[in-house]
Amino acid sequence: MKKIDRPSPVRFYAMLMIGIGLVSIGAMLFLLMKNKSDVAASSQDFSTVPVQVDFAAPKLDLTDLSGRSVSLDDYSGKVILVNLWATWCPPCRDEMPTLQKFYEKYKEKGFVLIAIDQEETPEVVAPFVAEFGLTFPVWLDLDYLAEREFNTSNLPSSYVIDRNGTVRLMWIGGISKSNLEKYVPDIILE
């Protein structure tokens, strides 16, 4: 019978330590690369970019949170960002602080933001408005009239109407600060 040469215990443990070291180095490199890609992804803006459009703003008559009749015609001559949203919609919630800051920055320049809640009652919407400290007009649309008039079924959806009553930009999805600042001020300053 042939005798099998076995490595010495010292050599076995040395090889085992080298193997563990290589696996550890590989795991650390993997984590470092993953963190780099996570940082790169988080610094990119994945929000929706608006589409340039050109159509007449619809006639839209609704009610505000206090039950008063309101109309897009009430804001004739202003640049209007109409935002269709709902309290249960995560991207709608995410964009509200950005919309509020943008409104505060440009409201003195003839800009108004009108947030039109889809199919929710004042009892649901009012606490949301208070939670986010919204100061722009909030309207209620219990019958999805705005969705039909703007021909959408997606939330959030936003439309920028110029001073002449023409819809110029359309967003389907959430809006970021960078995309608001990139696309809307030029229309406000025209």
Side-chain angles (χ1 to χ4, degrees):
M1 186 163 18
K2 228 178 180 184
K3 186 175 177 185
I4 300 175
D5 288 331
R6 292 191 177 153
S8 71
V10 173
R11 185 171 179 194
F12 173 77
Y13 287 115
M15 296 293 277
L16 181 63
M17 295 307 287
I18 290 171
I20 290 172
L22 289 173
V23 168
S24 297
I25 290 170
M28 286 182 1
L29 286 173
F30 172 76
L31 290 174
L32 285 172
M33 296 302 284
K34 182 180 182 315
N35 285 343
K36 267 189 170 178
S37 67
D38 288 348
V39 168
S42 68
S43 66
Q44 292 178 351
D45 184 0
F46 289 108
S47 67
T48 306
V49 173
V51 175
Q52 291 187 352
V53 293
D54 183 12
F55 61 90
K59 296 290 181 193
L60 196 56
D61 299 306
L62 297 169
T63 58
D64 66 13
L65 275 175
S66 63
R68 285 184 305 221
S69 293
V70 289
S71 173
L72 281 180
D73 290 341
D74 297 342
Y75 297 94
S76 179
K78 292 186 178 270
V79 173
I80 308 166
L81 189 153
V82 174
N83 177 257
L84 308 183
W85 65 286
T87 62
W88 52 262
C89 163
C92 301
R93 293 181 68 84
D94 291 344
E95 73 182 359
M96 282 301 165
T98 299
L99 293 174
Q100 177 62 40
K101 287 178 187 165
F102 189 83
Y103 170 69
E104 288 296 325
K105 183 175 179 179
Y106 290 99
K107 69 181 181 177
E108 300 300 323
K109 294 180 168 72
F111 171 76
V112 67
L113 193 151
I114 300 172
I116 303 176
D117 179 86
Q118 300 300 288
E119 200 192 29
E120 294 179 298
T121 64
E123 295 76 25
V124 173
V125 177
F128 182 94
V129 169
E131 175 187 347
F132 285 91
L134 304 179
T135 60
F136 46 76
V138 176
W139 297 359
L140 302 174
D141 184 4
L142 297 173
D143 299 317
Y144 295 104
L145 180 61
E147 281 190 2
R148 286 194 306 276
E149 289 295 325
F150 283 104
N151 197 26
T152 187
S153 60
N154 299 298
L155 297 179
S157 293
S158 298
Y159 305 86
V160 176
I161 303 168
D162 68 16
R163 295 180 197 281
N164 298 316
T166 301
V167 180
R168 303 260 302 272
L169 296 174
M170 174 180 72
W171 271 276
I172 304 299
I175 300 175
S176 70
K177 176 184 176 191
S178 63
N179 280 336
L180 275 171
E181 290 291 349
K182 182 175 181 179
Y183 295 99
V184 180
D186 288 345
I187 296 172
I188 295 171
L189 299 174
E190 285 179 347

